[in-house]
Amino acid sequence: MRLLLTGAGGRVGGRLAHLLHAAGFEVLAAYRSAAPPPGPRRLQLALEGDDALERLLDRERPAAIVHAAALALA
């Protein structure tokens, strides 16, 4: 099963990407700045702004989306 995982460069998303990939899922690991762990297919993606997410969904057709992206405020 192909999954799109947003926030794969963060702590939670990176761990999820690793675990899901190890469990046999085809993980599309979307990240904005910090690269996700090795293994899953990495896709740099900014969720705000243009229609990049829509184009990605049309092209890749994931069966499910796991939204782990967040904005950390310090």
Side-chain angles (χ1 to χ4, degrees), residues 3-67:
L3 303 175
L4 172 62
L5 173 64
T6 65
R11 288 184 181 151
V12 172
R15 185 67 179 145
L16 279 172
H18 172 76
L19 292 171
L20 290 168
H21 180 74
F25 290 95
E26 180 184 355
V27 179
L28 306 173
Y31 66 99
R32 185 169 135 193
S33 55
R41 189 167 136 212
R42 300 172 186 187
L43 303 168
Q44 192 164 16
L45 175 70
L47 293 175
E48 69 276 2
D50 65 20
D51 61 347
L53 178 60
E54 184 177 353
R55 288 192 314 269
L56 174 70
L57 293 173
D58 286 342
R59 183 179 69 242
E60 300 294 340
R61 297 287 197 207
I65 300 170
V66 179
H67 184 52

